PDB file of all heavy atoms in Angstrom:
ATOM      1  N   THR A  92       5.674   1.035  -5.416  1.00  0.00           N
ATOM      2  CA  THR A  92       6.176  -0.215  -5.208  1.00  0.00           C
ATOM      3  C   THR A  92       6.308  -0.523  -3.673  1.00  0.00           C
ATOM      4  O   THR A  92       6.306   0.454  -2.898  1.00  0.00           O
ATOM      5  CB  THR A  92       7.560  -0.625  -5.849  1.00  0.00           C
ATOM      6  OG1 THR A  92       8.592   0.019  -5.033  1.00  0.00           O
ATOM      7  CG2 THR A  92       7.543   0.024  -7.310  1.00  0.00           C
ATOM      8  N   GLY A  93       6.610  -1.686  -3.263  1.00  0.00           N
ATOM      9  CA  GLY A  93       6.749  -2.083  -1.885  1.00  0.00           C
ATOM     10  C   GLY A  93       8.287  -1.976  -1.430  1.00  0.00           C
ATOM     11  O   GLY A  93       8.566  -2.354  -0.373  1.00  0.00           O
ATOM     12  N   ASP A  94       9.127  -1.356  -2.263  1.00  0.00           N
ATOM     13  CA  ASP A  94      10.542  -1.267  -2.029  1.00  0.00           C
ATOM     14  C   ASP A  94      10.820   0.286  -2.060  1.00  0.00           C
ATOM     15  O   ASP A  94      10.767   0.921  -3.041  1.00  0.00           O
ATOM     16  CB  ASP A  94      11.310  -1.971  -3.060  1.00  0.00           C
ATOM     17  CG  ASP A  94      12.762  -2.093  -2.710  1.00  0.00           C
ATOM     18  OD1 ASP A  94      13.296  -1.035  -2.210  1.00  0.00           O
ATOM     19  OD2 ASP A  94      13.424  -3.069  -3.056  1.00  0.00           O
ATOM     20  N   ASP A  95      11.214   0.781  -0.903  1.00  0.00           N
ATOM     21  CA  ASP A  95      11.502   2.250  -0.789  1.00  0.00           C
ATOM     22  C   ASP A  95      12.665   2.629  -1.729  1.00  0.00           C
ATOM     23  O   ASP A  95      12.654   3.705  -2.276  1.00  0.00           O
ATOM     24  CB  ASP A  95      11.883   2.592   0.618  1.00  0.00           C
ATOM     25  CG  ASP A  95      10.633   2.667   1.589  1.00  0.00           C
ATOM     26  OD1 ASP A  95       9.524   2.816   1.006  1.00  0.00           O
ATOM     27  OD2 ASP A  95      10.811   2.714   2.703  1.00  0.00           O
ATOM     28  N   LYS A  96      13.661   1.766  -1.860  1.00  0.00           N
ATOM     29  CA  LYS A  96      14.870   2.030  -2.742  1.00  0.00           C
ATOM     30  C   LYS A  96      14.381   2.275  -4.164  1.00  0.00           C
ATOM     31  O   LYS A  96      14.715   3.264  -4.942  1.00  0.00           O
ATOM     32  CB  LYS A  96      15.891   0.987  -2.644  1.00  0.00           C
ATOM     33  CG  LYS A  96      16.537   0.845  -1.305  1.00  0.00           C
ATOM     34  CD  LYS A  96      17.638  -0.164  -1.332  1.00  0.00           C
ATOM     35  CE  LYS A  96      17.168  -1.603  -1.582  1.00  0.00           C
ATOM     36  NZ  LYS A  96      16.310  -2.089  -0.547  1.00  0.00           N
ATOM     37  N   VAL A  97      13.498   1.400  -4.641  1.00  0.00           N
ATOM     38  CA  VAL A  97      12.920   1.464  -6.074  1.00  0.00           C
ATOM     39  C   VAL A  97      12.124   2.758  -6.169  1.00  0.00           C
ATOM     40  O   VAL A  97      12.287   3.498  -7.190  1.00  0.00           O
ATOM     41  CB  VAL A  97      12.122   0.256  -6.344  1.00  0.00           C
ATOM     42  CG1 VAL A  97      11.272   0.454  -7.734  1.00  0.00           C
ATOM     43  CG2 VAL A  97      12.913  -0.984  -6.349  1.00  0.00           C
ATOM     44  N   ASN A  98      11.233   3.081  -5.151  1.00  0.00           N
ATOM     45  CA  ASN A  98      10.467   4.267  -5.234  1.00  0.00           C
ATOM     46  C   ASN A  98      11.368   5.543  -5.327  1.00  0.00           C
ATOM     47  O   ASN A  98      10.944   6.514  -5.997  1.00  0.00           O
ATOM     48  CB  ASN A  98       9.592   4.346  -3.989  1.00  0.00           C
ATOM     49  CG  ASN A  98       8.489   3.307  -4.091  1.00  0.00           C
ATOM     50  OD1 ASN A  98       8.219   2.704  -5.085  1.00  0.00           O
ATOM     51  ND2 ASN A  98       7.933   2.986  -2.937  1.00  0.00           N
ATOM     52  N   LEU A  99      12.422   5.639  -4.621  1.00  0.00           N
ATOM     53  CA  LEU A  99      13.331   6.742  -4.653  1.00  0.00           C
ATOM     54  C   LEU A  99      14.015   6.917  -6.069  1.00  0.00           C
ATOM     55  O   LEU A  99      14.022   8.043  -6.615  1.00  0.00           O
ATOM     56  CB  LEU A  99      14.380   6.629  -3.602  1.00  0.00           C
ATOM     57  CG  LEU A  99      13.925   6.979  -2.165  1.00  0.00           C
ATOM     58  CD1 LEU A  99      15.012   6.597  -1.183  1.00  0.00           C
ATOM     59  CD2 LEU A  99      13.563   8.400  -1.981  1.00  0.00           C
ATOM     60  N   VAL A 100      14.399   5.797  -6.658  1.00  0.00           N
ATOM     61  CA  VAL A 100      15.092   5.821  -7.873  1.00  0.00           C
ATOM     62  C   VAL A 100      13.997   6.238  -9.000  1.00  0.00           C
ATOM     63  O   VAL A 100      14.349   7.053  -9.805  1.00  0.00           O
ATOM     64  CB  VAL A 100      15.705   4.468  -8.343  1.00  0.00           C
ATOM     65  CG1 VAL A 100      16.110   4.441  -9.709  1.00  0.00           C
ATOM     66  CG2 VAL A 100      16.773   4.032  -7.441  1.00  0.00           C
ATOM     67  N   VAL A 101      12.852   5.688  -9.005  1.00  0.00           N
ATOM     68  CA  VAL A 101      11.816   6.076  -9.916  1.00  0.00           C
ATOM     69  C   VAL A 101      11.506   7.593  -9.844  1.00  0.00           C
ATOM     70  O   VAL A 101      11.409   8.244 -10.811  1.00  0.00           O
ATOM     71  CB  VAL A 101      10.551   5.245  -9.674  1.00  0.00           C
ATOM     72  CG1 VAL A 101       9.339   5.748 -10.550  1.00  0.00           C
ATOM     73  CG2 VAL A 101      10.781   3.715  -9.967  1.00  0.00           C
ATOM     74  N   SER A 102      11.363   8.110  -8.612  1.00  0.00           N
ATOM     75  CA  SER A 102      11.015   9.457  -8.348  1.00  0.00           C
ATOM     76  C   SER A 102      12.270  10.394  -8.979  1.00  0.00           C
ATOM     77  O   SER A 102      11.864  11.357  -9.618  1.00  0.00           O
ATOM     78  CB  SER A 102      10.920   9.688  -6.835  1.00  0.00           C
ATOM     79  OG  SER A 102       9.818   8.966  -6.355  1.00  0.00           O
ATOM     80  N   LEU A 103      13.446  10.029  -8.751  1.00  0.00           N
ATOM     81  CA  LEU A 103      14.462  10.838  -9.185  1.00  0.00           C
ATOM     82  C   LEU A 103      14.623  10.811 -10.641  1.00  0.00           C
ATOM     83  O   LEU A 103      14.847  11.900 -11.280  1.00  0.00           O
ATOM     84  CB  LEU A 103      15.830  10.216  -8.557  1.00  0.00           C
ATOM     85  CG  LEU A 103      17.160  11.045  -8.824  1.00  0.00           C
ATOM     86  CD1 LEU A 103      17.046  12.398  -8.184  1.00  0.00           C
ATOM     87  CD2 LEU A 103      18.364  10.268  -8.303  1.00  0.00           C
ATOM     88  N   LEU A 104      14.500   9.662 -11.279  1.00  0.00           N
ATOM     89  CA  LEU A 104      14.508   9.587 -12.790  1.00  0.00           C
ATOM     90  C   LEU A 104      13.327  10.426 -13.338  1.00  0.00           C
ATOM     91  O   LEU A 104      13.456  11.164 -14.306  1.00  0.00           O
ATOM     92  CB  LEU A 104      14.433   8.206 -13.187  1.00  0.00           C
ATOM     93  CG  LEU A 104      15.521   7.360 -12.952  1.00  0.00           C
ATOM     94  CD1 LEU A 104      15.364   5.871 -13.360  1.00  0.00           C
ATOM     95  CD2 LEU A 104      16.873   7.847 -13.500  1.00  0.00           C
ATOM     96  N   ALA A 105      12.257  10.273 -12.735  1.00  0.00           N
ATOM     97  CA  ALA A 105      11.010  10.900 -13.342  1.00  0.00           C
ATOM     98  C   ALA A 105      11.108  12.468 -13.283  1.00  0.00           C
ATOM     99  O   ALA A 105      10.821  13.140 -14.224  1.00  0.00           O
ATOM    100  CB  ALA A 105       9.711  10.543 -12.487  1.00  0.00           C
ATOM    101  N   LYS A 106      11.668  13.002 -12.228  1.00  0.00           N
ATOM    102  CA  LYS A 106      11.815  14.391 -12.103  1.00  0.00           C
ATOM    103  C   LYS A 106      12.984  14.945 -12.747  1.00  0.00           C
ATOM    104  O   LYS A 106      12.808  16.005 -13.460  1.00  0.00           O
ATOM    105  CB  LYS A 106      11.882  14.814 -10.550  1.00  0.00           C
ATOM    106  CG  LYS A 106      12.033  16.221 -10.231  1.00  0.00           C
ATOM    107  CD  LYS A 106      10.800  16.999 -10.637  1.00  0.00           C
ATOM    108  CE  LYS A 106       9.615  16.652  -9.664  1.00  0.00           C
ATOM    109  NZ  LYS A 106       8.385  17.491  -9.981  1.00  0.00           N
ATOM    110  N   THR A 107      14.177  14.355 -12.598  1.00  0.00           N
ATOM    111  CA  THR A 107      15.396  14.955 -13.180  1.00  0.00           C
ATOM    112  C   THR A 107      15.618  14.633 -14.656  1.00  0.00           C
ATOM    113  O   THR A 107      16.223  15.440 -15.271  1.00  0.00           O
ATOM    114  CB  THR A 107      16.642  14.562 -12.356  1.00  0.00           C
ATOM    115  OG1 THR A 107      16.730  13.108 -12.367  1.00  0.00           O
ATOM    116  CG2 THR A 107      16.447  14.919 -10.873  1.00  0.00           C
ATOM    117  N   VAL A 108      15.235  13.469 -15.097  1.00  0.00           N
ATOM    118  CA  VAL A 108      15.581  13.079 -16.427  1.00  0.00           C
ATOM    119  C   VAL A 108      14.317  13.413 -17.381  1.00  0.00           C
ATOM    120  O   VAL A 108      14.559  13.899 -18.465  1.00  0.00           O
ATOM    121  CB  VAL A 108      15.801  11.561 -16.587  1.00  0.00           C
ATOM    122  CG1 VAL A 108      16.185  11.211 -17.988  1.00  0.00           C
ATOM    123  CG2 VAL A 108      17.088  11.230 -15.722  1.00  0.00           C
ATOM    124  N   PHE A 109      13.102  13.152 -16.896  1.00  0.00           N
ATOM    125  CA  PHE A 109      11.948  13.332 -17.742  1.00  0.00           C
ATOM    126  C   PHE A 109      11.034  14.516 -17.386  1.00  0.00           C
ATOM    127  O   PHE A 109      10.007  14.780 -18.029  1.00  0.00           O
ATOM    128  CB  PHE A 109      11.101  12.020 -17.696  1.00  0.00           C
ATOM    129  CG  PHE A 109      11.774  10.830 -18.198  1.00  0.00           C
ATOM    130  CD1 PHE A 109      12.391   9.869 -17.307  1.00  0.00           C
ATOM    131  CD2 PHE A 109      11.966  10.600 -19.562  1.00  0.00           C
ATOM    132  CE1 PHE A 109      13.045   8.830 -17.722  1.00  0.00           C
ATOM    133  CE2 PHE A 109      12.603   9.500 -20.008  1.00  0.00           C
ATOM    134  CZ  PHE A 109      13.176   8.554 -19.181  1.00  0.00           C
ATOM    135  N   ALA A 110      11.552  15.323 -16.382  1.00  0.00           N
ATOM    136  CA  ALA A 110      10.837  16.613 -15.986  1.00  0.00           C
ATOM    137  C   ALA A 110       9.364  16.434 -15.838  1.00  0.00           C
ATOM    138  O   ALA A 110       8.578  17.237 -16.259  1.00  0.00           O
ATOM    139  CB  ALA A 110      11.134  17.653 -17.045  1.00  0.00           C
ATOM    140  N   VAL A 111       8.962  15.336 -15.136  1.00  0.00           N
ATOM    141  CA  VAL A 111       7.598  15.140 -14.829  1.00  0.00           C
ATOM    142  C   VAL A 111       7.144  16.178 -13.706  1.00  0.00           C
ATOM    143  O   VAL A 111       7.923  16.451 -12.838  1.00  0.00           O
ATOM    144  CB  VAL A 111       7.353  13.729 -14.245  1.00  0.00           C
ATOM    145  CG1 VAL A 111       5.908  13.537 -13.754  1.00  0.00           C
ATOM    146  CG2 VAL A 111       7.637  12.721 -15.360  1.00  0.00           C
ATOM    147  N   LYS A 112       5.995  16.821 -13.965  1.00  0.00           N
ATOM    148  CA  LYS A 112       5.580  17.946 -13.057  1.00  0.00           C
ATOM    149  C   LYS A 112       5.359  17.508 -11.656  1.00  0.00           C
ATOM    150  O   LYS A 112       5.681  18.150 -10.735  1.00  0.00           O
ATOM    151  CB  LYS A 112       4.433  18.613 -13.630  1.00  0.00           C
ATOM    152  CG  LYS A 112       4.534  19.334 -15.010  1.00  0.00           C
ATOM    153  CD  LYS A 112       3.241  19.928 -15.454  1.00  0.00           C
ATOM    154  CE  LYS A 112       3.459  20.564 -16.929  1.00  0.00           C
ATOM    155  NZ  LYS A 112       2.249  21.058 -17.460  1.00  0.00           N
ATOM    156  N   ARG A 113       4.725  16.382 -11.490  1.00  0.00           N
ATOM    157  CA  ARG A 113       4.209  16.004 -10.118  1.00  0.00           C
ATOM    158  C   ARG A 113       4.685  14.579  -9.903  1.00  0.00           C
ATOM    159  O   ARG A 113       4.345  13.609 -10.673  1.00  0.00           O
ATOM    160  CB  ARG A 113       2.729  16.108 -10.065  1.00  0.00           C
ATOM    161  CG  ARG A 113       2.111  15.906  -8.633  1.00  0.00           C
ATOM    162  CD  ARG A 113       2.388  17.104  -7.934  1.00  0.00           C
ATOM    163  NE  ARG A 113       1.509  17.263  -6.663  1.00  0.00           N
ATOM    164  CZ  ARG A 113       1.725  18.105  -5.655  1.00  0.00           C
ATOM    165  NH1 ARG A 113       2.592  19.010  -5.860  1.00  0.00           N
ATOM    166  NH2 ARG A 113       0.848  18.064  -4.694  1.00  0.00           N
ATOM    167  N   VAL A 114       5.507  14.290  -8.823  1.00  0.00           N
ATOM    168  CA  VAL A 114       5.969  13.003  -8.465  1.00  0.00           C
ATOM    169  C   VAL A 114       5.497  12.655  -7.121  1.00  0.00           C
ATOM    170  O   VAL A 114       5.800  13.402  -6.076  1.00  0.00           O
ATOM    171  CB  VAL A 114       7.521  12.935  -8.520  1.00  0.00           C
ATOM    172  CG1 VAL A 114       7.974  11.544  -8.086  1.00  0.00           C
ATOM    173  CG2 VAL A 114       7.959  13.134  -9.935  1.00  0.00           C
ATOM    174  N   VAL A 115       4.755  11.608  -6.945  1.00  0.00           N
ATOM    175  CA  VAL A 115       4.180  11.193  -5.609  1.00  0.00           C
ATOM    176  C   VAL A 115       4.916   9.742  -5.215  1.00  0.00           C
ATOM    177  O   VAL A 115       4.975   8.924  -6.120  1.00  0.00           O
ATOM    178  CB  VAL A 115       2.700  10.980  -5.647  1.00  0.00           C
ATOM    179  CG1 VAL A 115       2.298  10.565  -4.296  1.00  0.00           C
ATOM    180  CG2 VAL A 115       2.028  12.309  -6.035  1.00  0.00           C
ATOM    181  N   ALA A 116       5.360   9.600  -4.079  1.00  0.00           N
ATOM    182  CA  ALA A 116       6.130   8.436  -3.733  1.00  0.00           C
ATOM    183  C   ALA A 116       5.500   7.775  -2.454  1.00  0.00           C
ATOM    184  O   ALA A 116       5.203   8.454  -1.533  1.00  0.00           O
ATOM    185  CB  ALA A 116       7.563   8.687  -3.543  1.00  0.00           C
ATOM    186  N   ARG A 117       5.423   6.550  -2.457  1.00  0.00           N
ATOM    187  CA  ARG A 117       4.947   5.676  -1.336  1.00  0.00           C
ATOM    188  C   ARG A 117       6.184   5.467  -0.401  1.00  0.00           C
ATOM    189  O   ARG A 117       7.206   4.908  -0.916  1.00  0.00           O
ATOM    190  CB  ARG A 117       4.279   4.427  -1.894  1.00  0.00           C
ATOM    191  CG  ARG A 117       3.957   3.410  -0.803  1.00  0.00           C
ATOM    192  CD  ARG A 117       3.535   2.056  -1.397  1.00  0.00           C
ATOM    193  NE  ARG A 117       3.361   1.025  -0.409  1.00  0.00           N
ATOM    194  CZ  ARG A 117       3.163  -0.292  -0.743  1.00  0.00           C
ATOM    195  NH1 ARG A 117       3.146  -0.691  -1.993  1.00  0.00           N
ATOM    196  NH2 ARG A 117       2.888  -1.213   0.169  1.00  0.00           N
ATOM    197  N   VAL A 118       6.008   5.665   0.781  1.00  0.00           N
ATOM    198  CA  VAL A 118       6.993   5.347   1.775  1.00  0.00           C
ATOM    199  C   VAL A 118       6.559   4.122   2.549  1.00  0.00           C
ATOM    200  O   VAL A 118       5.511   4.181   3.282  1.00  0.00           O
ATOM    201  CB  VAL A 118       7.197   6.495   2.854  1.00  0.00           C
ATOM    202  CG1 VAL A 118       8.423   6.181   3.805  1.00  0.00           C
ATOM    203  CG2 VAL A 118       7.397   7.796   2.143  1.00  0.00           C
ATOM    204  N   ASN A 119       7.250   3.059   2.422  1.00  0.00           N
ATOM    205  CA  ASN A 119       6.863   1.784   3.054  1.00  0.00           C
ATOM    206  C   ASN A 119       7.360   1.661   4.505  1.00  0.00           C
ATOM    207  O   ASN A 119       6.653   1.240   5.365  1.00  0.00           O
ATOM    208  CB  ASN A 119       7.540   0.499   2.270  1.00  0.00           C
ATOM    209  CG  ASN A 119       6.758   0.456   0.970  1.00  0.00           C
ATOM    210  OD1 ASN A 119       5.833  -0.054   0.718  1.00  0.00           O
ATOM    211  ND2 ASN A 119       7.612   0.932  -0.101  1.00  0.00           N
ATOM    212  N   ASP A 120       8.639   2.072   4.738  1.00  0.00           N
ATOM    213  CA  ASP A 120       9.269   2.037   6.114  1.00  0.00           C
ATOM    214  C   ASP A 120       9.213   3.483   6.630  1.00  0.00           C
ATOM    215  O   ASP A 120      10.009   4.295   6.099  1.00  0.00           O
ATOM    216  CB  ASP A 120      10.583   1.471   6.030  1.00  0.00           C
ATOM    217  CG  ASP A 120      11.265   1.317   7.438  1.00  0.00           C
ATOM    218  OD1 ASP A 120      10.826   1.937   8.346  1.00  0.00           O
ATOM    219  OD2 ASP A 120      12.228   0.571   7.475  1.00  0.00           O
ATOM    220  N   PRO A 121       8.578   3.772   7.679  1.00  0.00           N
ATOM    221  CA  PRO A 121       8.478   5.268   8.243  1.00  0.00           C
ATOM    222  C   PRO A 121      10.019   5.718   8.520  1.00  0.00           C
ATOM    223  O   PRO A 121      10.125   6.889   8.540  1.00  0.00           O
ATOM    224  CB  PRO A 121       7.635   5.100   9.509  1.00  0.00           C
ATOM    225  CG  PRO A 121       6.684   3.943   9.110  1.00  0.00           C
ATOM    226  CD  PRO A 121       7.577   2.962   8.421  1.00  0.00           C
ATOM    227  N   SER A 122      10.808   4.851   8.860  1.00  0.00           N
ATOM    228  CA  SER A 122      12.217   5.307   9.125  1.00  0.00           C
ATOM    229  C   SER A 122      12.959   5.859   7.924  1.00  0.00           C
ATOM    230  O   SER A 122      13.921   6.558   8.165  1.00  0.00           O
ATOM    231  CB  SER A 122      12.944   4.179   9.772  1.00  0.00           C
ATOM    232  OG  SER A 122      13.257   3.235   8.813  1.00  0.00           O
ATOM    233  N   ASN A 123      12.310   5.611   6.771  1.00  0.00           N
ATOM    234  CA  ASN A 123      12.979   6.091   5.533  1.00  0.00           C
ATOM    235  C   ASN A 123      12.367   7.427   5.053  1.00  0.00           C
ATOM    236  O   ASN A 123      12.777   7.996   4.075  1.00  0.00           O
ATOM    237  CB  ASN A 123      12.871   5.157   4.410  1.00  0.00           C
ATOM    238  CG  ASN A 123      13.733   3.853   4.650  1.00  0.00           C
ATOM    239  OD1 ASN A 123      14.768   3.864   5.329  1.00  0.00           O
ATOM    240  ND2 ASN A 123      13.235   2.761   4.099  1.00  0.00           N
ATOM    241  N   GLU A 124      11.364   7.892   5.822  1.00  0.00           N
ATOM    242  CA  GLU A 124      10.601   9.021   5.374  1.00  0.00           C
ATOM    243  C   GLU A 124      11.458  10.347   5.156  1.00  0.00           C
ATOM    244  O   GLU A 124      11.183  11.117   4.230  1.00  0.00           O
ATOM    245  CB  GLU A 124       9.563   9.358   6.343  1.00  0.00           C
ATOM    246  CG  GLU A 124       8.360  10.228   5.897  1.00  0.00           C
ATOM    247  CD  GLU A 124       7.285  10.320   6.869  1.00  0.00           C
ATOM    248  OE1 GLU A 124       7.279   9.662   7.868  1.00  0.00           O
ATOM    249  OE2 GLU A 124       6.305  11.016   6.558  1.00  0.00           O
ATOM    250  N   TRP A 125      12.537  10.462   5.894  1.00  0.00           N
ATOM    251  CA  TRP A 125      13.372  11.586   5.764  1.00  0.00           C
ATOM    252  C   TRP A 125      14.097  11.711   4.368  1.00  0.00           C
ATOM    253  O   TRP A 125      14.455  12.889   3.956  1.00  0.00           O
ATOM    254  CB  TRP A 125      14.470  11.659   6.859  1.00  0.00           C
ATOM    255  CG  TRP A 125      15.396  10.481   6.728  1.00  0.00           C
ATOM    256  CD1 TRP A 125      15.321   9.258   7.167  1.00  0.00           C
ATOM    257  CD2 TRP A 125      16.715  10.585   6.117  1.00  0.00           C
ATOM    258  NE1 TRP A 125      16.394   8.502   6.992  1.00  0.00           N
ATOM    259  CE2 TRP A 125      17.310   9.224   6.297  1.00  0.00           C
ATOM    260  CE3 TRP A 125      17.492  11.520   5.532  1.00  0.00           C
ATOM    261  CZ2 TRP A 125      18.577   8.922   5.797  1.00  0.00           C
ATOM    262  CZ3 TRP A 125      18.684  11.201   4.964  1.00  0.00           C
ATOM    263  CH2 TRP A 125      19.264   9.822   5.182  1.00  0.00           C
ATOM    264  N   LEU A 126      14.179  10.614   3.738  1.00  0.00           N
ATOM    265  CA  LEU A 126      14.814  10.584   2.315  1.00  0.00           C
ATOM    266  C   LEU A 126      13.895  11.010   1.232  1.00  0.00           C
ATOM    267  O   LEU A 126      14.352  11.553   0.243  1.00  0.00           O
ATOM    268  CB  LEU A 126      15.187   9.074   1.960  1.00  0.00           C
ATOM    269  CG  LEU A 126      16.484   8.564   2.739  1.00  0.00           C
ATOM    270  CD1 LEU A 126      16.487   7.103   2.507  1.00  0.00           C
ATOM    271  CD2 LEU A 126      17.748   9.191   2.237  1.00  0.00           C
ATOM    272  N   PHE A 127      12.652  11.006   1.522  1.00  0.00           N
ATOM    273  CA  PHE A 127      11.624  11.351   0.503  1.00  0.00           C
ATOM    274  C   PHE A 127      11.342  12.835   0.313  1.00  0.00           C
ATOM    275  O   PHE A 127      10.371  13.293   0.799  1.00  0.00           O
ATOM    276  CB  PHE A 127      10.356  10.583   0.685  1.00  0.00           C
ATOM    277  CG  PHE A 127      10.402   9.054   0.401  1.00  0.00           C
ATOM    278  CD1 PHE A 127      11.103   8.203   1.218  1.00  0.00           C
ATOM    279  CD2 PHE A 127       9.936   8.603  -0.782  1.00  0.00           C
ATOM    280  CE1 PHE A 127      11.283   6.862   0.932  1.00  0.00           C
ATOM    281  CE2 PHE A 127       9.961   7.125  -1.099  1.00  0.00           C
ATOM    282  CZ  PHE A 127      10.708   6.253  -0.310  1.00  0.00           C
ATOM    283  N   THR A 128      12.406  13.581  -0.264  1.00  0.00           N
ATOM    284  CA  THR A 128      12.321  14.965  -0.334  1.00  0.00           C
ATOM    285  C   THR A 128      12.530  15.468  -1.811  1.00  0.00           C
ATOM    286  O   THR A 128      12.813  14.590  -2.655  1.00  0.00           O
ATOM    287  CB  THR A 128      13.340  15.625   0.548  1.00  0.00           C
ATOM    288  OG1 THR A 128      14.644  15.243   0.037  1.00  0.00           O
ATOM    289  CG2 THR A 128      13.253  15.158   1.926  1.00  0.00           C
ATOM    290  N   SER A 129      12.524  16.644  -2.061  1.00  0.00           N
ATOM    291  CA  SER A 129      12.746  17.195  -3.362  1.00  0.00           C
ATOM    292  C   SER A 129      14.126  16.816  -3.850  1.00  0.00           C
ATOM    293  O   SER A 129      14.362  16.731  -5.106  1.00  0.00           O
ATOM    294  CB  SER A 129      12.584  18.731  -3.375  1.00  0.00           C
ATOM    295  OG  SER A 129      13.422  19.355  -2.453  1.00  0.00           O
ATOM    296  N   ALA A 130      15.098  16.541  -2.957  1.00  0.00           N
ATOM    297  CA  ALA A 130      16.423  16.175  -3.317  1.00  0.00           C
ATOM    298  C   ALA A 130      16.289  14.862  -4.163  1.00  0.00           C
ATOM    299  O   ALA A 130      17.277  14.584  -4.996  1.00  0.00           O
ATOM    300  CB  ALA A 130      17.300  16.003  -2.203  1.00  0.00           C
TER     301      ALA A 130
END
Side-chain angles (χ1 to χ4, degrees):
T92 78
D94 188 324
D95 285 345
K96 296 187 295 295
V97 171
N98 290 344
L99 285 171
V100 171
V101 171
S102 298
L103 186 63
L104 293 178
K106 180 65 71 174
T107 62
V108 178
F109 297 100
V111 175
K112 295 179 182 177
R113 191 75 164 169
V114 177
V115 180
R117 171 188 176 189
V118 185
N119 295 278
D120 184 345
S122 67
N123 293 332
E124 196 169 359
W125 64 277
L126 287 166
F127 287 73
T128 66
S129 57

